[in-house]
Amino acid sequence: MRVLLVHPSPLMYSELYLRLEPLGLERVAAAVRAAGHEVRLRDLQIFSHADYWKELADFAPQAVGFSVNYLANVPEVIDLSKETKAKRPDTFVFVGGHSASFVAAEFLEHAEGTIDCIVRGEGEIIAPRVLEAIGDPKLCTLPGVVTTSGAGPSPTLLDDLDRFLPARDLGRKRHKYFIGVLDPCASVEFTRGCPWDCSFCSAWTFYGRSYRKGSPEAAGEDLARIREPNVFIVDDVAFIHAEHGDAIASEIERRRIRKQYYLETRCDVLIKNQELFARWKRLGLYYMFLGIEALDEDALKAHRKRVTLNENLRALEIARSLGLTVAINIIADPSWDEARFAAVRDWALSVPEVVHLTVATPYPGTELWLTESRQLTSRDYRLFDVQHAVLPTKVPLKRFYELLVNTQSVLNRKHLGWGALKLYGGAALRAASRGQTNYLRMLWKFSTVYNTERQYADHLKPVRYEMKPPRPLLGLKPTKQDLYIHMPAPVH
Ligand code: B12
Ligand code: SF4
């Protein structure tokens, strides 16, 4: 069967800081191809809708699968599905991915029959089975599958992460993928899931709080196949188990792989596994993201981060002493006023790290989505991107965006524009000499992407598809069914 897999358009983040390969879709593509299908992949972060329509006409796929990891992409994919069915009514349309899994039923409703099924959870095992079941009423009985006529049991976890290494050969224009000065940049996955349970995060609810590791040999093999000099390690929390990180490091040394790496981890993991991170620094670890989230103990508790402020600060010192470029994130609450923004700005300017601000957002799939007591001010999927305020702001909304954008822009002077050239000019010019200009081009783009007027105007756009509000808990605790996509393993 001819199968076309599609990643939707870029998000606000990707217009500026990064653009990354659709690794999940590449893994699904590998599994579908292994089942004997002819597969193509089209990434609309790079290509236009016109390119998609042309491919639909030329390739004439019997099935089109969309990846929806981000809520902000839901309306686009609904519209693409509607038009795909209008142009080619016999094409089977299916949708998978992180966010699609959490809003499956309403996604189908909005699509008005133009999406044949949503696939909840991991895609590798189930996608080939879905294709096999096209036209068969048993489709809606498959694990994780939701159709308008019913839903199958909860999805099953992939037993072995080594089984389907990403089909990177299906990507086109790969030189467009980058993160900051790591330009161009590929992605790899060493582990999947997260054992923690932060209230604002859906990594643990998606994977049923499981944590799985691929083998160090497969990690080495995958890295050896990557042509790009830079690699984004997509694990939610990198190197939780030091021995796994060490084994991958040994594999890299054995194969003499030399690359630069970006990863994301927790402060307590960095503190615990300092030597491992030092080893990775020697192997090429360049850029690290630490989820600090808050500057006071109360907020850290509310996020259920399970780290203290002191640990966070200690981790920053360790990262500095290792000579890593570090980015951190602080969650800006819509209740923040002038004084709060000023305090955070002052702190952020006093540290050398790249500091990002995201807006606290109850995201479907998070515990916060179920427990947040404040009323949502918008249920427009497009505004659920942690750059917009969907909860009531203390200062008027426009003023909130002024404060947010001004703070971000002051902080960004450290690592965008001329400030960046001082720090990374050499690397940027080396990349440019190889024809890689993704990074250089982003340096002066900040105000076109992040600006008060644009963010405020986004709230005034007509809303064609509105998210369903969360089911009221009426004082009860969320159940497993409320929270999880993959159900946690029973405790013995
Ligand atoms: C890279 C990344 C990004 C990149 C996007 C890159 C891209 N091209 O997609 C950037 C940095 C832009 C980004 C932004 C955000 N991200 Co992000 N991101 C990730 C990250 C680290 C890796 C994604 C990945 O490659 N995973 C590995 C692959 C193998 O998994 P996968 O993509 O989920 O694919 C599997 C399934 O979902 C499914 N599947 C996927 N597509 C399809 C399609 C079909 C047809 C089928 C059948 C199945 C299927 O099968 C795949 C294989 O099992 C994940 C964390 C993670 N480890 O997954 C977070 C993650 C997805 N992001 C998350 C969040 C919260 C965000 C942000 C909202 C906030 C933030 N601070 O990061 C913003 C969103 C911005 C916006 N405007 O909406 C959350 C969850 C989002 C959600 N929907 O609830 C995650 C899980 C991180 C977390 N710990 O909370 N992110
Ligand atoms: S924020 Fe990080 S540590 Fe917390 S649950 Fe999500 S992935 Fe895990």
Side-chain angles (χ1 to χ4, degrees), residues 278-352:
R279 182 175 185 191
W280 270 82
K281 163 74 185 161
R282 292 192 292 276
L283 283 181
L285 177 58
Y286 179 84
Y287 197 165
M288 174 189 278
F289 178 93
L290 287 168
I292 297 272
E293 325 302 358
L295 299 176
D296 60 282
E297 299 286 359
D298 286 348
L300 284 171
K301 271 215 179 88
H303 299 321
R304 214 196 285 123
K305 211 42 218 195
R306 300 184 197 276
V307 281
T308 63
L309 191 54
N310 273 342
E311 283 175 301
N312 279 348
L313 299 176
R314 177 124 185 272
L316 286 182
E317 273 167 26
I318 294 170
R320 277 172 215 154
S321 71
L322 290 177
L324 297 167
T325 300
V326 181
I328 60 180
N329 188 61
I330 301 287
I331 302 177
D333 198 87
S335 65
W336 283 14
D337 57 10
E338 270 87 354
R340 193 82 183 98
F341 271 106
V344 169
R345 187 193 56 217
D346 291 348
W347 178 83
L349 285 175
S350 73
V351 296

Side-chain angles (χ1 to χ4, degrees), residues 428-486:
L429 289 176
R430 277 194 298 281
S433 70
R434 294 191 306 268
Q436 285 296 140
T437 53
N438 295 309
Y439 174 66
L440 269 182
R441 268 191 267 170
M442 82 181 220
L443 290 181
W444 282 272
K445 249 174 99 179
F446 180 81
S447 55
T448 58
V449 177
Y450 288 86
N451 71 67
T452 306
E453 294 306 324
R454 174 183 173 180
Q455 266 157 281
Y456 183 70
D458 287 340
H459 287 259
L460 309 176
K461 285 184 186 159
V463 184
R464 287 175 47 230
Y465 306 115
E466 204 171 48
M467 209 182 284
K468 281 236 168 81
R471 191 173 65 81
L473 283 176
L474 306 170
L476 300 170
K477 280 195 148 187
T479 64
K480 280 186 180 173
Q481 276 68 25
D482 290 326
L483 285 172
Y484 295 111
I485 299 295
H486 288 277

Side-chain angles (χ1 to χ4, degrees), residues 5 7 11-14 18 20-25 27-28 45 65-72 94-99 102 119 121-124 127 189 192 201-203 206-207 232 234-236 264 358 363-364 384-386:
L5 297 175
H7 188 284
L11 305 163
M12 208 167 150
Y13 269 56
S14 330
L18 75 175
L20 295 167
E21 67 181 296
L23 198 67
L25 210 50
R27 287 212 175 235
V28 173
Q45 297 178 102
F66 291 102
S67 178
V68 180
N69 272 352
Y70 301 102
L71 286 168
F94 63 121
V95 177
H98 203 97
S99 276
F102 289 110
V119 181
E122 293 179 322
E124 290 96 334
E189 187 188 38
R192 208 175 263 188
C201 177
S202 58
F206 186 79
Y207 292 117
F232 181 121
V234 302
D235 303 13
D236 282 307
E264 310 198 344
T358 53
Y363 228 71
F384 281 69
D385 65 349
V386 303

